[in-house]
Amino acid sequence: MKKINKVIGKILKYGTLISTLALIGTVLLQIFARFFLESAPSWTEEASRFLFIYAISFAAGLAMKQKYYVHLDLIFNKLSPKGQKWLEFLISALIVLLFGLFTFYAIQFVQLGHAEKSPSLAIRMSFAFGSMFIMGASITYFAWLETQKAFKKLRA
Amino acid sequence: MILALILVFIICLILRFPIAFSLGLACLVYVLLKGLPLLIVPLKMYSGIDVFVLLSIPGFILAGNLMNHGGLTEKIIHFCNHLLGHIRGGLALANIGASMLFAGISGTAVADTASIGSVMIPAMKKEGYKVDFACAVTASSSTVGPIIPPSVPMIIAATLSGLSVGRLFLAGAIPGFMLGIGLMLVAYIISVRENYPKLQRSTLRQIGKGFIDTFWALLMTFIILFGIIGGVFTPTEASIIAVVYALLIGAFVYRKLTLRNIPVIILDSMKTSASLMVLVGFANLFGWILITERLPQAISEGILDFTQNKYLVLLLINILLIFVGTFMETIAALLILFRSF
């Protein structure tokens, strides 16, 4: 299990880094071409959008793992320790449900994009829509780990 | 149906669900109750973040983080201490001044609070300031961040309304400055009443050196601002220029950025950006549902039924904005409310 976690973590980490660096490179090329070349390539805007969505999708799971999503502490601290444990379990379980369904329907979304091509790069939109599957699956995975942890705490 | 959407959202928020997922769960319940195809959830998430101008958000967050790790925060704080420290409550004033300067780099209030607060709150506590006062000064002065350009909420507002990002940035500069001065005035009055300490007056030489140290940060703000307003760069391009600039300054001028810490900073910035973008995606679906249910029309008809006076209408809208802003995260509030008005 630890090995799987490590591999998934590395895929997401390098995916985020590579997409972000490629995004920076593409926007710099766009600026350079506008100022120093006769005509700017038409594909840079589309490529940078795709890279941005991929960078965000890879990072979304890591953000789940390291609790980057902001929440409000309105009643949590007023609950009993047992109540807090139940609530932690409920929150992670419902996130699994939300993103489990999201991931399942993201597969349909990818299939939908197979027939369509992007205007500038002429790549299949299923490639771009695949980012939603990565986002959904990685958040579901880390939320599932959280649910297991919360369940163990609840039983302890 | 709309009641279920709003109720689920509020209950999830109260129960400590992350704000982004509270929106997502509320939308999920609505979609299931309404019998709509669930395919709409990833579809609206994708279309919500597939907007070119939103690319500038990770850019500004990354540039701010690079500058912060490059040692700029301490330099800004030192400069403000030299400039304002000799006045009664000097550290509180320096805290606000540093937030105003840092606002020109980061674009978000959270980044300002984390960077300035981690240095200033312990320092103020050590000098005998009450902790609640130190926290209140840091939190309220950080709200100047999204008003003084560059500003992530303004980029989102411009995207939603079709207004120019450059003009919104320009419109925020003077009110942001005035807000900062107003906060300093309040902090000064409280400091005199509480007899908070003042530091020794700095020499002109010290102030001059402090200014030179922060010069690079100020120059970055000018490049971003005038690059966008002058039509040289789009906001997205300006944010990437800011990243390259922050990298060069952090690595070669301040010499604090290395090949080892740069990937960590990029990852941290992208995780922050991802948490915002998931929120943007779900808020896009939430806003779409509100429009489908004709809620914006109902709100505007309700206000106009109550009064036709334009000043009173503006006042009512502002009261609603203050109320919503007290409980809701800025970006989610922007995405939902812009569709409602």
Side-chain angles (χ1 to χ4, degrees):
Chain A
M1 196 67 182
K2 267 189 183 169
K3 206 173 175 187
I4 297 173
N5 274 351
K6 216 173 172 183
V7 171
I8 291 176
K10 276 205 167 160
I11 292 172
L12 296 177
K13 183 179 149 186
Y14 287 110
T16 308
L17 282 174
I18 293 167
S19 327
T20 308
L21 291 174
L23 163 67
I24 295 171
T26 311
V27 177
L28 284 177
L29 174 70
Q30 185 174 308
I31 301 168
F32 177 80
R34 210 180 51 240
F35 284 107
F36 302 107
L37 300 180
E38 274 183 19
S39 64
S42 59
W43 54 268
T44 48
E45 198 224 290
E46 197 173 271
S48 48
R49 268 192 294 116
F50 289 166
L51 288 165
F52 163 68
I53 295 173
Y54 262 95
I56 291 299
S57 301
F58 279 120
L62 295 173
M64 180 71 213
K65 186 183 174 190
Q66 284 152 24
K67 300 186 171 38
Y68 272 67
Y69 293 93
V70 183
H71 55 73
L72 304 176
D73 277 320
L74 293 173
I75 59 156
F76 188 78
N77 295 330
K78 289 174 189 133
L79 293 175
S80 65
K82 183 97 182 160
Q84 290 185 350
K85 283 177 191 168
W86 266 107
L87 194 54
E88 276 176 351
F89 173 72
L90 178 78
I91 291 170
S92 39
L94 282 178
I95 296 173
V96 171
L97 175 74
L98 171 67
F99 278 94
L101 285 169
F102 183 98
T103 311
F104 181 78
Y105 285 92
I107 297 171
Q108 269 192 27
F109 187 44
V110 172
Q111 287 167 341
L112 205 72
H114 193 68
E116 199 186 331
K117 281 191 174 176
S118 69
S120 297
L121 291 166
I123 55 169
R124 290 199 189 280
M125 284 308 285
S126 50
F127 165 75
F129 296 162
S131 57
M132 292 298 103
F133 176 78
I134 292 171
M135 178 191 280
S138 58
I139 293 180
T140 310
Y141 178 74
F142 288 115
W144 171 245
L145 293 185
E146 273 302 308
T147 314
Q148 281 181 324
K149 235 190 263 176
F151 187 66
K152 273 183 195 160
K153 264 203 242 173
L154 203 60
R155 287 181 61 186
Chain B
M1 223 59 96
I2 194 81
L3 198 68
L5 177 88
I6 292 166
L7 265 179
V8 173
F9 174 59
I10 292 172
I11 291 169
C12 286
L13 267 190
I14 293 171
L15 289 180
R16 202 176 178 252
F17 278 79
I19 302 167
F21 304 153
S22 302
L23 281 172
L25 282 165
C27 293
L28 182 69
V29 169
Y30 176 88
V31 169
L32 288 172
L33 286 177
K34 196 89 177 169
L36 295 171
L38 276 164
L39 182 66
I40 202 164
V41 183
L43 197 145
K44 285 286 168 191
M45 168 69 77
Y46 185 89
S47 66
I49 57 178
D50 184 26
V51 180
F52 188 65
V53 78
L54 290 180
L55 269 71
S56 59
I57 293 176
F60 284 127
I61 291 175
L62 178 56
N65 276 347
L66 285 169
M67 277 291 198
N68 195 17
H69 285 82
L72 193 86
T73 312
E74 293 128 66
K75 288 188 168 48
I76 287 179
I77 291 171
H78 280 153
F79 172 58
C80 292
N81 270 340
H82 285 312
L83 200 67
L84 303 161
H86 63 280
I87 305 169
R88 176 80 50 208
L91 275 184
L93 304 186
N95 188 337
I96 299 165
S99 281
M100 287 165 75
L101 285 182
F102 198 75
I105 307 166
S106 74
T108 62
V110 179
D112 290 8
T113 314
S115 313
I116 309 281
S118 60
V119 181
M120 286 309 272
I121 295 173
M124 287 174 76
K125 202 176 149 189
K126 203 173 147 196
E127 288 289 322
Y129 289 80
K130 282 183 190 160
V131 182
D132 4 7
F133 178 68
C135 292
V137 167
T138 309
S140 46
S141 65
S142 298
T143 58
V144 176
I147 303 174
I148 294 177
S151 156
V152 168
M154 278 190 195
I155 295 169
I156 293 179
T159 312
L160 293 169
S161 62
L163 290 169
S164 142
V165 176
R167 293 185 72 166
L168 274 183
F169 276 6
L170 204 59
I174 293 171
F177 181 74
M178 284 166 65
L179 186 60
I181 299 291
L183 282 170
M184 280 186 186
L185 209 67
V186 176
Y188 174 73
I189 292 168
I190 295 173
S191 300
V192 169
R193 214 175 51 202
E194 298 281 333
N195 200 24
Y196 284 137
K198 51 183 177 182
L199 304 174
Q200 210 177 354
R201 188 183 283 272
S202 302
T203 60
L204 265 180
R205 194 188 161 89
Q206 284 173 314
I207 296 173
K209 192 183 173 302
F211 176 76
I212 291 167
D213 281 346
T214 51
F215 169 76
W216 297 106
L218 297 174
L219 186 64
M220 180 161 135
T221 308
F222 278 98
I223 292 173
I224 294 170
L225 194 58
F226 290 103
I228 295 174
I229 294 165
V232 184
F233 312 120
T234 63
T236 303
E237 290 170 352
S239 73
I240 299 299
I241 292 286
V243 167
V244 176
Y245 178 90
L247 262 175
L248 294 175
I249 297 295
F252 299 112
V253 179
Y254 297 140
R255 295 174 187 274
K256 283 210 173 173
L257 293 180
T258 60
L259 278 178
R260 192 167 281 185
N261 64 10
I262 290 170
V264 179
I265 300 166
I266 294 178
L267 278 174
D268 178 54
S269 309
M270 291 314 292
K271 281 181 262 183
T272 308
S273 307
S275 66
L276 286 176
M277 287 305 128
V278 171
L279 181 72
V280 167
F282 279 132
N284 183 44
L285 176 57
F286 196 91
W288 176 81
I289 293 171
L290 293 185
I291 291 172
T292 317
E293 290 283 340
R294 301 176 61 85
L295 193 74
Q297 284 95 324
I299 292 175
S300 48
E301 278 165 20
I303 291 177
L304 290 174
D305 278 349
F306 181 72
T307 177
Q308 299 267 345
N309 182 317
K310 60 183 177 184
Y311 298 108
L312 219 54
V313 169
L314 273 176
L315 187 73
L316 284 174
I317 290 174
N318 273 295
I319 290 170
L320 182 71
L321 292 180
I322 290 172
F323 178 75
V324 174
T326 311
F327 300 102
M328 203 185 267
E329 209 276 337
T330 319
I331 293 175
L334 273 173
L335 287 161
I336 293 163
L337 291 171
F338 254 96
R339 289 184 168 96
S340 304
F341 294 110

